[in-house]
Amino acid sequence: MKRLFLVTLLFCLGAFSTFAQKGTKERIKVHSKALEGNLIGDPADRDVTIYLPPSYATNPDKRFPVLYMLHGFTDTDSQWFGWEKHWINLQDVIEQSLAEGLSKEMIVVMPNAYNRFKGSMYASSVTIGDWETFVTQELVSYIDANYRSIPTKESRGLAGHSMGGYGTLRLGMKYPDVYSAIYALSPCCMDGEASTNPELMKKLETLTPDQLQETSFFEIAALATSAAFAPNPKNPPLYLDLPAKDGAPRQDVINKIIANRTLNFVDQYILNLKKLKAIAIDAGLQDRGISEATKSLHEVFESYQIKHFYESYEGDHLNRIAERIHTKALPFFSENLKF
């Protein structure tokens, strides 16, 4: 009888602990002057999901560090935060990590970077707008002005998956005075050439903005890449240059695209990377191309003696991302951000 009572008590305490870890989320609009006037006509009022940890409501005097999370290509903040069914629910991941004592309470912010091309690459061009300024300056200023954040770089982290991992590395390298710690999960777009496949290019040359939603993944990815890195204000209706035209490669456009591959520009930002307190990168072994590129970046960091965490694990591009955030990324920021 006594043993049964103890088992019941432990179960109730566990259930209470899990329940006590529930926070809240809200989806708001943040206006961006940096995105105004983009040539493709995407709205400058951007959706942003904000997760507020459990004690945000119960302890009104407490301030929190902020983790800025960047989603991947074709994804949205709505999908990642469970406003609609998706392969991940970040709120559940955060609260599981909290309940297990693996991480500390922090505000988590995710902007919606889904645009007419299904992804901004977190870059800046006249075609898509100045996403770098929106994410690193305007959004950060808005959060610090409207939420109980700790408004210093020591209490700001940046993380992302796939396109978001690429954005994490790109923005982390360029803005070490905004963030102190970065974690790139399965970062895409770090190496490789620009596709000049004649059939693909021929189809893309004829597309209009109204047809973009019906394109295949590889078609829209090629367009998004050109929109971010090879904009052309004199080439309507999509205002971009493709890496081939009329069946012939265009080396000037190819050069613009490959110049924005992480492994091609990382050497320019070594001094900035050394200003960061903590850096982490990982990728699944079965994530073809990305796994190898991530290892190459790890080797670059080693050659420059940049302290960082790197891990290659059994997994593909999606199947263990929730687990990695739960057991690796959130504990990483709990250790390296200032609370």
Side-chain angles (χ1 to χ4, degrees):
M1 186 73 179
K2 185 176 181 181
R3 183 179 179 184
L4 178 62
F5 172 77
L6 289 172
V7 170
T8 303
L9 178 62
L10 287 171
F11 175 80
C12 291
L13 288 172
F16 176 77
S17 174
T18 301
F19 174 78
Q21 295 296 323
K22 295 294 181 184
T24 59
K25 66 183 178 185
E26 53 192 49
R27 198 175 192 216
I28 63 170
K29 295 277 189 186
V30 177
H31 182 77
S32 169
K33 290 192 70 65
L35 297 178
E36 289 178 357
N38 65 85
L39 297 181
I40 201 62
D42 278 312
D45 291 320
R46 305 305 304 181
D47 291 312
V48 178
T49 295
I50 300 157
Y51 171 80
L52 302 173
S55 64
Y56 191 92
T58 60
N59 189 348
D61 295 323
K62 188 175 181 180
R63 304 187 77 88
F64 300 84
V66 182
L67 172 58
Y68 291 86
M69 284 285 297
L70 307 178
H71 63 73
F73 189 65
T74 76
D75 281 352
T76 67
D77 65 308
S78 176
Q79 292 170 329
W80 265 68
F81 265 99
W83 299 107
E84 52 191 292
K85 191 172 177 59
H86 199 44
W87 59 268
I88 189 170
N89 184 320
L90 189 54
Q91 181 174 3
D92 289 348
V93 173
I94 295 167
E95 290 175 347
Q96 184 179 0
S97 189
L98 285 173
E100 294 177 11
L102 297 177
S103 59
K104 300 177 184 178
E105 290 189 342
M106 61 189 83
I107 298 170
V108 182
V109 177
M110 179 175 283
N112 183 13
Y114 186 97
N115 63 1
R116 193 72 72 91
F117 297 106
K118 301 187 182 181
S120 70
M121 306 303 296
Y122 302 99
S124 298
S125 81
V126 294
T127 302
I128 62 170
D130 185 358
W131 278 87
E132 289 188 13
T133 294
F134 171 57
V135 173
T136 66
Q137 309 297 324
E138 293 176 330
L139 182 58
V140 168
S141 295
Y142 183 92
I143 295 299
D144 287 343
N146 291 277
Y147 294 87
R148 296 199 314 275
S149 62
I150 302 173
T152 62
K153 66 164 280 185
E154 290 79 14
S155 297
R156 282 192 211 105
L158 181 67
H161 168 249
S162 193
M163 179 185 78
Y166 170 82
T168 294
L169 293 169
R170 181 184 181 94
L171 301 181
M173 288 183 206
K174 289 188 171 188
Y175 301 95
D177 296 329
V178 177
Y179 315 100
S180 64
I182 64 171
Y183 196 125
L185 299 111
S186 305
C188 78
C189 318
M190 293 205 292
D191 63 357
E193 296 295 322
S195 175
T196 57
N197 179 279
E199 290 185 11
L200 174 63
M201 294 295 109
K202 185 177 180 180
K203 180 174 181 180
L204 298 185
E205 285 173 356
T206 65
L207 290 180
T208 65
D210 293 338
Q211 296 172 309
L212 295 179
Q213 285 300 311
E214 279 65 55
T215 52
S216 71
F217 179 88
F218 291 105
E219 290 167 352
I220 199 66
L223 289 171
T225 300
S226 284
F229 307 131
N232 185 349
K234 296 181 179 180
N235 191 23
L238 299 183
Y239 301 101
L240 55 83
D241 286 331
L242 294 168
K245 187 175 183 180
D246 299 327
R250 298 185 60 186
Q251 195 58 50
D252 58 332
V253 178
I254 293 171
N255 291 344
K256 291 178 182 180
I257 292 171
I258 63 176
N260 283 279
R261 304 298 193 203
T262 311
L263 290 168
N264 293 340
F265 65 72
V266 61
D267 299 271
Q268 302 168 42
Y269 292 98
I270 297 304
L271 297 179
N272 277 1
L273 284 162
K274 289 186 174 182
K275 293 179 182 178
L276 295 169
K277 178 183 177 182
I279 301 168
I281 52 173
D282 66 20
L285 283 165
Q286 288 73 48
D287 197 356
R288 285 186 56 192
I290 288 179
S291 177
E292 292 80 1
T294 306
K295 183 180 179 183
S296 296
L297 183 62
H298 156 63
E299 291 169 351
V300 171
F301 287 168
E302 283 197 321
S303 71
Y304 283 109
Q305 297 181 316
I306 293 174
K307 185 179 178 182
H308 66 288
F309 166 81
Y310 162 74
E311 192 165 32
S312 184
Y313 59 89
E314 290 293 330
D316 60 30
H317 195 58
L318 299 178
N319 70 333
R320 295 184 64 188
I321 297 303
E323 174 195 337
R324 300 294 296 183
I325 296 172
H326 164 206
T327 63
K328 299 291 183 177
L330 291 171
F332 168 85
F333 289 108
S334 297
E335 181 180 345
N336 288 296
L337 296 183
K338 185 176 181 181
F339 284 74

